[in-house]
């Protein structure tokens, strides 16, 4: 068991404001941390309390209500955001992934626990955090701020961390359900996705494309293409990932870090076709396992069918959420000393 200098409280991004969603993306990503006696994962404030209390909290903090009236006394909830039931008495380190925590709450934490550290982790580009919560990013109350994006790390002089995801058990069928799997918002990627679809199907490959947010007038009935208004659960998406021969990723650009599709491919042993050039820097990049293309017409369909249904990346738990906690310890030690 790893020994940490701090007791960690991780305020995770939430999949659902009223219940812990065990099939949700953020819950699954942090799942491994729940085994550590030095770490508490808070899926959303007050997540350990009965439903009716959580409901009252959600109503009191409703963004819709706030448009018409600013409800008072929200600070009365602060002592109940998490439960301090650590066996070992150590300083607290609050790790913030939830971009919507109010600055006033962080001030409360500093007042209640003067020797605590507050760390903000960016799993998205900084401009998005600044848009959603302008007060949070680069606020002096933060003891450390880290980003998953190497480009932004250099631009802002900010420490970098690898994206993380817990490895969980997913059912593997005896027969692959598809040759290529893609799931995500279409946005401005639709032409690229359709171009990739043509390359695959023209060469006899079976696609499983789950496209979210495609306008009705742009939806074409095609075998293996499903249009939806919302995402499937993350656990269901992992099921389709494990039971395909190859994962397709089409980045929109603007980021320079490892993505969930890359992590999933490495963790679960799947081939990957992507336009994410940053992957070339990874020790897990092998041309026979990952194909990087500039445009979809560059795809070699034979890449999908070569070899077996699973590939071995010799994965060494580099994307475990425990690695992020170790990075935080490392950076805090650099900044404030070991003891």
């Amino acid at each position: 068991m790893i020994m940490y200098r701090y007791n960690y409280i991780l305020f995770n991004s939430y999949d659902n404001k009223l219940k812990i969603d065990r099939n949700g993306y953020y819950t699954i990503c942090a799942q491994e941390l729940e085994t550590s006696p030095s770490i508490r994962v808070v899926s959303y404030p007050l997540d350990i309390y009965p439903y009716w209390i959580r409901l009252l909290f959600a109503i009191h903090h409703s963004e819709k209500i706030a448009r018409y009236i600013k409800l008072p006394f929200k600070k009365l909830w602060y002592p109940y955001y998490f439960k301090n039931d650590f066996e070992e008495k150590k300083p607290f380190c609050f790790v913030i992934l939830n971009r919507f925590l109010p600055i006033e709450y962080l001030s409360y934490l500093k007042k209640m626990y003067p020797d605590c550290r507050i760390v903000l982790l960016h799993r998205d580009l900084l401009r998005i955090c600044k848009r959603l919560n302008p007060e949070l990013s680069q606020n002096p109350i933060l003891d450390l701020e880290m980003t998953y994006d190497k480009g932004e790390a250099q631009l802002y002089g900010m420490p970098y961390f690898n994206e993380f995801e817990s490895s969980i058990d997913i059912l593997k069928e005896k027969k692959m359900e598809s040759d290529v799997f893609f799931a995500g918002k279409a946005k401005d990627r639709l032409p690229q996705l359709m171009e990739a679809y043509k390359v695959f199907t023209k060469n006899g490959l079976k696609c499983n494309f789950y496209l979210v947010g495609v306008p009705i007038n742009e939806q074409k009935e095609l075998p293996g293409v499903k249009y939806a208004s919302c995402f499937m659960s993350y656990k269901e998406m992992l099921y389709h990932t494990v039971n395909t021969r190859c994962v397709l990723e089409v980045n929109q650009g603007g980021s320079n870090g490892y993505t969930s599709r890359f992590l999933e491919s490495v963790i679960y042993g799947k081939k990957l076709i992507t336009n994410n050039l940053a992957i070339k820097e990874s020790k897990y990049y092998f041309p026979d396992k990952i194909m990087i293309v500039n445009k979809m017409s560059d795809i070699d369909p034979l890449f999908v069918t070569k070899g077996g249904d699973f590939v071995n990346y010799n994965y060494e738990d580099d994307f475990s959420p425990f690695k992020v906690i170790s990075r935080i310890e490392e950076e805090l030690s650099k900044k404030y000393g070991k003891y």
Side-chain angles (χ1 to χ4, degrees):
M1 184 68 66
I2 302 174
M3 300 300 294
Y4 294 114
R5 177 183 176 184
Y6 300 93
N7 282 328
Y8 285 88
I9 298 92
L10 185 143
F11 287 102
N12 204 6
S13 299
Y14 51 77
D15 298 299
N16 188 303
K17 292 182 180 181
L18 288 173
K19 66 178 182 178
I20 298 175
D21 184 359
R22 290 294 172 189
N23 295 324
Y25 173 71
Y26 296 111
T27 303
I28 287 175
C29 281
Q31 186 170 306
E32 290 178 14
L33 298 179
E34 297 175 10
T35 63
S36 173
S38 297
I39 303 172
R40 298 290 179 271
V41 177
V42 181
S43 297
Y44 47 82
L46 282 79
D47 62 1
I48 61 172
Y49 289 93
Y51 176 81
W52 68 270
I53 294 179
R54 302 197 309 267
L55 181 60
L56 286 176
F57 176 85
I59 294 172
H60 197 181
H61 291 78
S62 169
E63 295 175 9
K64 292 182 179 179
I65 294 176
R67 294 174 188 170
Y68 304 100
I69 183 172
K70 189 174 182 180
L71 296 176
F73 308 120
K74 291 181 180 179
K75 292 182 180 180
L76 295 176
W77 296 100
Y78 286 176
Y80 309 104
Y81 269 40
F82 73 96
K83 186 177 181 180
N84 179 7
D85 59 353
F86 293 98
E87 295 180 3
E88 189 175 355
K89 302 301 180 184
K90 294 185 288 188
F92 286 126
C93 181
F94 298 97
V95 181
I96 311 300
L97 289 169
N98 184 343
R99 294 180 294 226
F100 301 102
L101 281 179
I103 293 296
E104 291 80 7
Y105 177 65
L106 303 187
S107 299
Y108 164 83
L109 293 176
K110 283 289 189 180
K111 182 178 179 180
M112 291 296 298
Y113 312 103
D115 59 348
C116 78
R117 301 297 181 194
I118 299 179
V119 178
L120 175 61
L121 296 184
H122 292 282
R123 298 187 74 186
D124 214 329
L125 296 175
L126 265 69
R127 67 171 181 265
I128 296 177
C129 179
K130 290 178 178 179
R131 175 169 54 84
L132 296 176
N133 191 346
E135 291 185 321
L136 183 59
S137 181
Q138 299 177 300
N139 191 294
I141 202 168
L142 300 172
D143 295 292
L144 178 65
E145 203 167 350
M146 301 176 68
T147 176
Y148 86 106
D149 187 274
K150 289 184 177 180
E152 288 197 335
Q154 294 176 352
L155 180 64
Y156 295 100
M158 190 178 294
Y160 166 83
F161 69 91
N162 271 333
E163 258 291 18
F164 63 90
E165 181 170 330
S166 298
S167 176
I168 65 172
D169 291 329
I170 299 294
L171 176 65
K172 297 177 182 178
E173 303 289 358
K174 293 181 179 179
K175 183 179 179 181
M176 294 292 104
E177 67 170 8
S178 69
D179 295 305
V180 184
F181 172 62
F182 173 89
K185 288 184 178 180
K187 296 183 178 179
D188 57 356
R189 294 178 289 187
L190 187 59
Q192 293 171 283
L193 291 168
M194 290 297 99
E195 184 177 8
Y197 177 88
K198 288 179 182 178
V199 171
F200 295 132
T201 55
K202 185 178 179 181
N203 288 273
L205 299 179
K206 182 180 179 181
C207 291
N208 180 8
F209 281 22
Y210 186 91
L211 306 181
V212 178
V214 178
I216 294 178
N217 62 330
E218 296 182 35
Q219 295 180 9
K220 298 179 181 179
E221 290 191 19
L222 297 168
V225 176
K226 181 178 180 180
Y227 301 99
S229 58
C230 61
F231 288 109
M232 66 178 77
S233 76
Y234 189 60
K235 192 168 185 179
E236 182 182 353
M237 200 189 78
L238 288 178
Y239 169 82
H240 294 302
T241 296
V242 167
N243 292 288
T244 191
R245 289 189 170 84
C246 182
V247 174
L248 173 66
E249 173 184 62
V250 182
N251 269 4
Q252 297 179 90
S255 64
N256 189 25
Y258 299 153
T259 62
S260 296
R261 300 297 87 79
F262 171 59
L263 269 62
E264 294 153 9
S265 299
V266 172
I267 292 171
Y268 298 102
K270 310 308 298 184
K271 288 183 178 180
L272 175 68
I273 296 175
T274 179
N275 60 351
N276 184 359
L277 297 176
I279 289 175
K280 278 192 175 181
E281 301 175 15
S282 171
K283 71 177 186 180
Y284 293 114
Y285 170 67
F286 304 96
D288 61 326
K289 299 177 177 68
I290 299 174
M291 175 180 287
I292 298 177
V293 297
N294 290 315
K295 54 185 185 298
M296 297 302 106
S297 59
D298 293 336
I299 294 173
D300 179 3
L302 293 178
F303 169 82
V304 176
T305 54
K306 285 181 182 177
D309 295 334
F310 294 93
V311 294
N312 185 8
Y313 289 89
N314 294 310
Y315 177 55
E316 298 176 334
D317 290 331
D318 293 293
F319 305 131
S320 166
F322 284 114
K323 296 290 185 180
V324 179
I325 301 298
S326 296
R327 279 286 293 126
I328 292 172
E329 291 250 317
E330 177 186 343
E331 291 298 328
L332 287 177
S333 294
K334 286 181 184 177
K335 193 170 183 179
Y336 299 104
K338 292 187 177 180
Y339 299 101

